[in-house]
């Protein structure tokens, strides 16, 4: 499974990446450029995407909205500080699997992997 991380360059993702990299079936790719990241998603070069709350030129929610237009079948996780109810409202219909912390860590990575495995088992 190829997971694309779309965050700003200054986001510390090390503990998040460490957990994901422990899984032999996961390959991580990082892309800080939203246009290039969307092209990768459009070309179906990734299976899942984790998106930062705020990117260089748009919000994470705006990126997910653009992502759904180019490839609605990509599993997505979105970092957000919104309370769960507001997050649900903001992402409804966007196919987001899980809400991650703004600074995702070990538990976020474990939850993301768990959700991805559940989705994979349904296919």
């Amino acid at each position: 499974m190829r997971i694309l991380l779309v965050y700003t360059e200054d986001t510390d993702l090390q503990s998040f990446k460490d957990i994901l990299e422990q899984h032999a079936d996961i390959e991580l790719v990082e892309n800080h450029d939203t246009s290039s990241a969307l092209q990768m998603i459009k070309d179906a070069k990734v299976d899942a995407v984790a998106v930062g709350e705020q990117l260089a030129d748009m919000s994470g929610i705006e990126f997910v909205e653009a992502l759904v237009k180019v490839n609605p079948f990509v599993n997505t996780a979105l970092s957000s500080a919104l309370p769960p109810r507001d997050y649900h409202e903001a992402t409804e219909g966007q196919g987001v699997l899980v809400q991650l912390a703004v600074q995702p860590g070990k538990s976020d990575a474990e939850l993301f992997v768990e959700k991805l495995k559940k989705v994979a088992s349904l296919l």
Side-chain angles (χ1 to χ4, degrees):
M1 175 175 293
R2 194 167 199 214
I3 299 176
L4 173 63
L5 305 177
V6 184
Y7 284 81
T8 58
E9 290 184 58
D10 63 344
T11 305
D12 179 12
L13 296 173
Q14 198 54 57
S15 62
F16 184 71
K17 292 189 308 187
D18 286 347
I19 296 300
L20 295 175
E21 289 171 339
Q22 289 177 5
H23 296 269
D25 59 339
I26 292 178
E27 174 192 356
L28 293 180
V29 180
E30 291 186 71
N31 195 328
H32 307 294
D33 179 75
T34 55
S35 297
S36 175
L38 287 169
Q39 189 61 49
M40 287 178 74
I41 295 162
K42 183 177 183 180
D43 294 343
K45 293 184 178 176
V46 298
D47 303 299
V49 182
V51 181
E53 180 175 50
Q54 185 59 50
L55 306 173
D57 57 349
M58 66 180 70
S59 72
I61 291 173
E62 290 169 330
F63 183 84
V64 169
E65 290 169 353
L67 177 158
V68 170
K69 290 176 185 171
V70 299
N71 189 339
F73 302 107
V74 173
N75 293 304
T76 309
L78 176 63
S79 288
S80 177
L82 290 172
R85 175 174 274 173
D86 295 340
Y87 178 84
H88 177 75
E89 288 292 320
T91 62
E92 190 169 13
Q94 302 301 321
V96 178
L97 282 178
V98 64
Q99 179 178 1
L100 303 174
V102 173
Q103 196 74 48
K106 178 182 174 182
S107 61
D108 293 292
E110 291 168 346
L111 180 61
F112 189 30
V113 169
E114 177 185 317
K115 296 285 187 179
L116 288 171
K117 285 181 178 180
K118 282 184 183 175
V119 169
S121 72
L122 297 174
L123 300 177

